[in-house]
């Protein structure tokens, strides 16, 4: 009764968020009944093996026994294709239950992702207000395919939530800068920790972090003077040091295992070969005929990895070096036309088929009524988010400095994530990383439209936290406006160039 009374007394936005969270849990439990017994497949197997290896490491350390480096090298690092974020997230389950069933794995991942979503929504509400939190929970937290992915071991969905938390940290830092103040050193540490967590979940988020770092540095240089500027730059140095210090253990161990320098992952050469090169030359000729890249008769990625290992055993050269040579061997077939044609196809799968991977998570594949409901509802949630992404990139929102800050940073985040089709084969799996930021883009456009009304409905949102931000130096406003224009221009040039070369 006390909880009911508190719920009734809560603001309407709080009531709505609680109702959406309850719907999220109910829908997830419903889908768990379908996905719970579906065997892990594809990259999930590698993440799961890495989690078991980490749990064994914990037991070795707790028992004072020897550490089995070979198991970590084999199952956690492997070919260096995956950062260990998902394995780290899943490892506690195997520490408690070394023989966890598939259902237990799915249920644990579902609980973990829901808690992370809740934390993300809380942070978004704190920084941007009710509207943003509601749109995020409604169009992402209730998207059926996103919910199915939240019970899978792929790292893309987790990376999207962590990237959103990182963006909230960045917006807070930018608000401090445009108000003429320097961030604290603790703020820099928080940013560095959030950044490395995002990279551990998905290495492709590195570009996003670099873009955000550039914006922070330029804003500090343009808007601050004297000691305040140097204190701000010092906090960014602390952020960078925190990032490097936390990434270094993985990078060093992967480099030691593979006998080659590894910063995050080693996938780029093979990915480029399969995505853009001549697939009949990936393994210095055709790969194993039973599992040839590009066919439907096996895993596209395993044969090149296996081949590079065989060459490494035969010649003593590192796998990483062999994979780079494989890309060099397939590259002569790449032309501007073939490359842009592949980019268009990649983007079509990335953004145009958000429910395509759901069949891997449903026991009856793409045939049952539940799958078709998932398919339709996923499109209904994703289409407005996708349209909002393009609208935000091309729009110039500059009614207030804070509006410019949020628009610019969200645009950079989405732009960085949407570069993936230019360097990696696109599938309906990767949109889950961009979905939370796309939800913020939609909320941002709604908020900007609403602000023009005589009686805005969302005026209670913390749109401008510090009034002094509106007295920011003209150079900062010019820089923010110029950055928005440049991003819009680059987007138009990229789209026109790719379509022009790829469709002619």
């Amino acid at each position: 009764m006390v909880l009911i009374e508190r719920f009734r007394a809560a603001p309407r936005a709080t009531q709505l968020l609680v109702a959406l969270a309850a719907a999220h849990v109910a829908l997830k439990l419903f889908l768990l009944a379908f996905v719970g017994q579906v065997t892990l497949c594809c990259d999930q197997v590698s993440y799961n093996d890495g989690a078991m290896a980490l749990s064994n490491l914990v037991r070795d350390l707790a028992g004072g026994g020897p550490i089995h480096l070979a198991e970590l090298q084999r199952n956690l690092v492997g070919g260096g294709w995956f950062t260990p974020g998902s394995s780290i997230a899943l490892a506690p389950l195997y520490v408690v239950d070394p023989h966890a069933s598939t259902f237990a794995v799915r249920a644990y991942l579902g609980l973990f992702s829901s808690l992370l979503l809740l934390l993300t929504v809380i942070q978004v509400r704190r920084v941007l207000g009710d509207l943003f939190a509601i749109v995020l929970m409604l169009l992402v937290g209730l998207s059926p395919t996103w919910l199915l992915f939240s019970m899978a071991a792929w790292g893309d969905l987790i990376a999207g939530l962590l990237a959103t938390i990182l963006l909230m940290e960045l917006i807070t830092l930018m608000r401090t800068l445009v108000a003429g103040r320097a961030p604290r050193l603790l703020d820099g540490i928080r940013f560095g920790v959030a950044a490395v967590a995002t990279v551990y979940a998905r290495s492709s988020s590195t570009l996003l972090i670099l873009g955000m770092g550039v914006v922070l540095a330029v804003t500090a240089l343009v808007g601050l003077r004297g000691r305040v500027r140097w204190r701000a730059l010092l906090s960014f140095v602390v952020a960078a040091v925190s990032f490097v210090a936390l990434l270094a253990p993985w990078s060093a161990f992967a480099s030691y295992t593979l006998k080659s320098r590894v910063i995050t992952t080693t996938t780029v050469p093979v990915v480029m070969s399969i995505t853009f090169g001549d697939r009949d030359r990936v393994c210095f000729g055709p790969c194993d005929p039973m599992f040839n890249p590009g066919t439907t008769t096996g895993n596209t990625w395993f044969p090149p990895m296996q081949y590079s290992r065989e060459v490494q055993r035969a010649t003593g050269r590192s796998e990483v070096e062999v994979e780079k040579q494989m890309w060099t061997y397939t590259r002569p077939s790449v032309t501007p036309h073939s490359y842009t044609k592949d980019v268009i196809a990649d983007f079509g799968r990335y953004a145009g088929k958000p429910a395509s991977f759901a069949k891997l998570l449903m026991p009856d594949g793409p045939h049952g009524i539940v799958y078709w409901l998932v398919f339709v509802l996923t499109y209904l949630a994703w289409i407005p988010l996708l349209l909002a992404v393009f609208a935000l990139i091309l729009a110039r929102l500059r009614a207030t400095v804070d509006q410019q800050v949020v628009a610019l940073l969200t645009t950079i985040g989405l732009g960085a994530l949407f570069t993936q089709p230019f360097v990696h084969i696109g599938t309906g799996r990767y949109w889950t990383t961009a979905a939370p930021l796309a939800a913020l883009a939609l909320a941002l456009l709604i908020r900007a439209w609403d602000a023009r009304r005589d009686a805005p409905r969302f005026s209670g949102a913390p749109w401008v936290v510090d009034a002094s931000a509106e007295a920011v130096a003209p150079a900062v406003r010019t820089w923010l406006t110029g950055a928005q224009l440049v991003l819009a221009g680059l987007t138009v040039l990229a789209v026109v160039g790719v379509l022009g070369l790829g469709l002619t």
Side-chain angles (χ1 to χ4, degrees):
M1 293 296 294
V2 175
L3 290 177
I4 294 176
E5 290 300 324
R6 288 185 177 180
F7 177 78
R8 289 176 177 175
R12 184 173 300 177
T14 301
Q15 293 177 348
L16 180 55
L17 283 170
V18 171
L20 290 174
H24 165 84
V25 173
L27 186 55
K28 176 169 284 190
L29 291 174
F30 171 77
L31 292 174
L32 179 61
F34 291 89
V35 74
Q37 301 296 344
V38 177
T39 304
L40 300 179
C41 69
C42 312
D43 298 349
Q44 296 179 89
V45 177
S46 296
Y47 290 125
N48 191 62
D49 290 344
M52 289 189 284
L54 286 172
S55 70
N56 289 335
L57 172 64
V58 171
R59 277 186 284 273
D60 290 340
L61 293 173
I67 296 175
H68 296 84
L69 286 180
E71 182 187 17
L72 291 171
Q73 291 176 314
R74 181 177 62 253
N75 292 331
L76 184 64
V77 177
W81 283 36
F82 310 108
T83 44
S86 289
S87 296
I88 293 172
L90 185 55
L93 172 65
Y94 285 108
V95 171
V96 175
D97 183 4
H99 306 289
S101 65
T102 299
F103 184 86
V105 170
R106 298 288 192 192
Y108 172 86
L109 290 169
L111 175 62
F112 178 87
S113 58
S114 289
L115 291 175
L116 185 58
L117 173 64
L118 180 61
L119 175 62
T120 304
V121 169
I122 291 172
Q123 288 294 92
V124 168
R125 189 185 189 191
R126 178 184 64 83
V127 175
L128 296 178
D130 295 331
L131 173 65
F132 292 80
I134 290 169
V135 173
L136 176 60
M137 182 60 81
L138 177 64
L139 293 183
V140 176
L142 296 183
S143 172
T145 298
W146 192 93
L147 283 164
L148 287 173
F149 266 84
S150 73
M151 294 177 280
W154 285 299
D156 313 281
L157 181 143
I158 294 174
L161 294 175
L162 291 173
T164 306
I165 293 174
L166 175 66
L167 180 62
M168 296 305 103
E169 293 292 330
L170 182 65
I171 290 172
T172 302
L173 287 173
M174 283 289 289
R175 285 171 170 171
T176 301
L177 292 176
V178 299
R181 301 191 304 270
R184 300 171 302 169
L185 296 183
L186 179 60
D187 295 329
I189 294 175
R190 287 173 50 138
F191 183 77
V193 171
V196 81
T198 307
V199 170
Y200 269 138
R202 186 70 185 167
S203 63
S204 58
S205 59
T206 304
L207 181 60
L208 176 150
I209 292 165
L210 289 174
M212 290 180 173
V214 169
V215 171
L216 281 176
V218 172
T219 304
L221 292 173
V222 169
L224 302 180
R225 294 291 183 271
R227 293 183 178 180
V228 177
R229 175 193 285 176
W230 287 111
R231 287 201 301 269
L233 293 177
L234 178 60
S235 69
F236 302 153
V237 170
V238 170
V241 170
S242 301
F243 178 86
V244 172
L246 292 172
L247 183 63
W250 163 254
S251 181
F253 187 56
S255 299
Y256 170 77
T257 299
L258 297 171
K259 298 178 175 60
S260 182
R261 185 176 64 181
V262 178
I263 298 176
T264 56
T265 60
T266 63
T267 54
V268 171
V270 172
V271 165
M272 295 291 285
S273 299
I274 293 175
T275 307
F276 305 110
D278 185 345
R279 295 185 177 184
D280 290 328
R281 294 165 62 92
V282 172
C283 298
F284 301 119
C287 293
D288 188 324
M290 292 182 61
F291 303 101
N292 193 40
T295 71
T296 59
T297 57
N299 190 301
T300 301
W301 308 102
F302 178 74
M305 180 178 68
Q306 187 64 28
Y307 180 79
S308 66
R309 288 180 177 177
E310 294 297 329
V311 174
Q312 184 270 330
R313 293 189 187 102
T315 64
R317 289 178 291 170
S318 72
E319 294 178 42
V320 178
E321 180 185 351
V322 174
E323 290 166 0
K324 290 177 180 178
Q325 292 173 344
M326 292 161 69
W327 164 231
T328 301
Y329 196 70
T330 63
R331 193 164 52 198
S333 64
V334 180
T335 65
H337 174 71
S338 71
Y339 173 76
T340 50
K341 185 178 179 181
D342 288 334
V343 168
I344 293 172
D346 289 339
F347 189 83
R349 291 187 295 268
Y350 179 102
K353 297 182 178 181
S356 61
F357 261 59
K359 62 180 179 290
L360 298 178
L361 299 169
M362 302 292 287
D364 52 2
H367 305 295
I369 184 64
V370 175
Y371 170 79
W372 286 106
L373 287 173
V374 167
F375 183 90
V376 172
L377 293 175
T378 297
Y379 272 90
L380 290 177
W382 173 240
I383 288 174
L385 297 182
L386 183 62
L387 294 176
V389 170
F390 292 108
L392 179 64
I393 291 175
L394 297 177
R396 288 188 297 166
L397 302 180
R398 50 182 182 176
T400 67
V401 170
D402 204 64
Q403 188 182 74
Q404 283 186 288
V405 166
V406 177
L408 176 61
L409 297 179
T410 306
T411 300
I412 289 175
L414 287 166
L417 295 177
F418 272 78
T419 59
Q420 179 155 332
F422 289 85
V423 295
H424 194 292
I425 193 168
T427 70
R429 163 185 151 191
Y430 300 117
W431 69 273
T432 55
T433 307
L437 294 187
L440 300 186
L442 178 59
L444 183 60
L445 293 171
I446 295 173
R447 178 64 179 83
W449 170 80
D450 179 70
R452 297 181 179 181
R453 300 176 53 173
D454 293 334
R457 294 184 179 182
F458 306 109
S459 58
W463 194 247
V464 179
V465 173
D466 191 328
S468 64
E470 292 305 296
V472 68
V476 172
R477 183 179 280 276
T478 301
W479 141 244
L480 294 173
T481 302
Q484 285 181 287
L485 290 173
V486 169
L487 288 175
L490 290 176
T491 301
V492 172
L493 286 176
V495 171
V496 172
V498 168
L499 291 178
L501 290 172
L503 298 180
T504 55

